[in-house]
Amino acid sequence: SLGMLTINALTAADSVIIPVQAQYLPAKGLEQLLRTITRVKRQLNPKLEVDGIVLTMVDSRTTLAREINALVRKTYGGHVFASEIPRSIKAAEISVENKSIYDHDRSGKAALAYENLTREVLSLGKQIKRHRTDPVR
């Protein structure tokens, strides 16, 4: 939703990671969200940055998911994280169980994908921190 809560969150944030389901409508919604982020950055929060886009609920067995994956990567290139979160029944069960994916299925494909994404985000954070503290800038 691109309502006031989203606008307020973007106004207060330094950066955002955008999760996008590997399906047609969410990929189209990404365009609208990025336009909204550009508007918020221009009018309300010039420090707002997009740290990256993460593909979620990826079912690489389907042609559609592979095509959407390729399209998002082609369109947004380096802004798309290498890590993808796969579609997983175990991940869907965690809201019912009221547990984290690590407590529910520690060695499952979704938990491993989230670990990989975490490593990518932490690495990105180190790069940003180095860049911001670089006296040469």
Side-chain angles (χ1 to χ4, degrees):
S1 170
L2 294 177
M4 285 307 296
L5 185 60
T6 302
I7 301 299
N8 288 341
L10 292 172
T11 301
D14 294 324
S15 63
V16 62
I17 294 174
I18 304 169
V20 178
Q21 288 181 20
Q23 297 177 13
Y24 177 74
L25 289 177
K28 291 299 286 179
L30 175 59
E31 295 173 25
Q32 186 178 358
L33 177 58
L34 289 170
R35 281 194 300 273
T36 300
I37 288 170
T38 299
R39 231 178 353 263
V40 167
K41 186 171 179 162
R42 187 177 57 245
Q43 297 173 355
L44 301 167
N45 182 1
K47 294 180 182 178
L48 181 62
E49 296 294 333
V50 175
D51 281 348
I53 299 166
V54 61
L55 288 160
T56 64
M57 298 180 74
V58 176
D59 184 351
S60 18
R61 299 172 300 170
T62 69
T63 303
L64 177 62
R66 288 192 304 270
E67 288 173 355
I68 295 297
N69 190 329
L71 177 66
V72 169
R73 289 184 185 284
K74 179 181 176 190
T75 305
Y76 302 105
H79 290 291
V80 183
F81 287 102
S83 300
E84 299 173 357
I85 309 304
R87 180 174 294 278
S88 163
I89 297 302
K90 294 289 185 181
E93 291 171 352
I94 63 173
S95 56
V96 174
E97 302 271 333
N98 200 23
K99 294 181 179 179
S100 80
I101 190 66
Y102 303 107
D103 291 334
H104 185 66
D105 187 29
R106 178 79 181 126
S107 60
K109 63 183 182 178
L112 296 175
Y114 277 110
E115 282 182 27
N116 290 335
L117 177 62
T118 300
R119 283 189 200 92
E120 266 189 278
V121 171
L122 289 173
S123 173
L124 177 66
K126 289 176 187 172
Q127 292 171 14
I128 291 170
K129 186 176 180 181
R130 261 195 313 271
H131 180 68
R132 289 181 181 159
T133 59
D134 184 358
V136 177
R137 267 181 22 133

